[in-house]
Amino acid sequence: MREERRTKRTKHLLWRWRSNPLRRHDDIVEAWTVLAVWTVIALGGTIVGVLTSEVADDSFTQQRSERHAVEAVLVESTPDAALTGRGTMSDQVLATVRWTASNGSARTGQALVHMGQEAGSKVVVWLDDTGQLTREPQSAADAAVEAAVLGTGAAVAFGGMVYGTGRVVRWRLDQRRYDQWGREWEQTGPQWRRKTT
């Protein structure tokens, strides 16, 4: 009984490939389109997701290797609380800082520092390879999470594009079938009307 049910289910899933006098060429094209779309989504989505994740992780690793922390002094006091442009609270604010460059010269610039600090306080700022102020690089754990999110997003976007393309192809096949049915009905309809009147 169980084997019979499994056989019926398999036949139901593969109905488009079975020999059938009512099967049209468009049915075969649609069957292959569905198979191709899901195969490309599964394999291509995986490849796109993994590659995107690896590229993002490499970029974050490069950022960590190019940026380094230096000690700086706050030139101005920072407020106790700051409202960001989006209406949410932030624990960091832009402030003017002074630090000593690798060649010994004094440099000043704007950097993100924690709020509630007095002028003259020592803070840590981040510099890139050219000695310019930059943001703190992400930790390895944060970078791994963001790379995974980016990879997942890329896989979903790729899958959505492929699925959308498949839907367009199936829609066109449906339109062709409707047109074909309309032409066939134009030929058959008058014969039926004569028989019923």
Side-chain angles (χ1 to χ4, degrees):
M1 184 72 166
R2 192 178 220 175
E3 186 64 35
E4 184 179 320
R5 225 182 284 145
R6 187 177 299 136
T7 303
K8 282 184 180 180
R9 191 179 317 130
T10 303
K11 283 182 179 179
H12 178 71
L13 289 173
L14 300 175
W15 72 271
R16 293 174 200 253
W17 282 280
R18 289 196 323 252
S19 180
N20 183 334
L22 298 177
R23 182 183 65 186
R24 298 162 300 221
H25 174 71
D26 287 353
D27 295 332
I28 297 169
V29 171
E30 183 177 17
W32 282 107
T33 300
V34 169
L35 180 65
V37 163
W38 287 111
T39 302
V40 170
I41 286 173
L43 297 177
T46 302
I47 291 169
V48 166
V50 168
L51 288 177
T52 301
S53 179
E54 286 179 359
V55 167
D57 195 44
D58 289 346
S59 173
F60 297 139
T61 301
Q62 183 178 356
Q63 283 180 1
R64 282 193 301 277
S65 68
E66 291 174 349
R67 297 177 183 183
H68 58 280
V70 295
E71 193 173 86
V73 176
L74 270 175
V75 174
E76 58 190 359
S77 298
T78 59
D80 286 335
L83 202 58
T84 65
R86 285 172 258 145
T88 58
M89 298 303 288
S90 172
D91 66 339
Q92 290 189 324
V93 66
L94 272 176
T96 304
V97 294
R98 183 176 45 248
W99 73 97
T100 304
S102 57
N103 63 4
S105 63
R107 305 276 305 270
T108 59
Q110 294 267 312
L112 281 174
V113 297
H114 291 287
M115 295 181 297
Q117 299 187 59
E118 297 294 322
S121 300
K122 293 189 181 206
V123 293
V124 173
V125 295
W126 290 83
L127 303 176
D128 61 18
D129 281 347
T130 63
Q132 299 299 314
L133 286 169
T134 188
R135 288 181 169 267
E136 178 180 358
Q138 291 182 325
S139 68
D142 290 344
V145 169
E146 188 165 344
V149 169
L150 290 171
T152 302
V156 168
F158 177 81
M161 286 180 5
V162 172
Y163 182 78
T165 302
R167 291 300 297 169
V168 169
V169 170
R170 291 181 72 188
W171 175 79
R172 290 290 301 140
L173 289 171
D174 285 343
Q175 295 304 311
R176 280 179 45 180
R177 283 189 283 250
Y178 295 149
D179 292 343
Q180 182 181 359
W181 290 335
R183 287 190 303 274
E184 290 171 358
W185 181 251
E186 286 173 4
Q187 294 171 355
T188 312
Q191 296 171 0
W192 280 36
R193 276 189 228 118
R194 262 187 267 136
K195 290 179 181 179
T196 57
T197 58

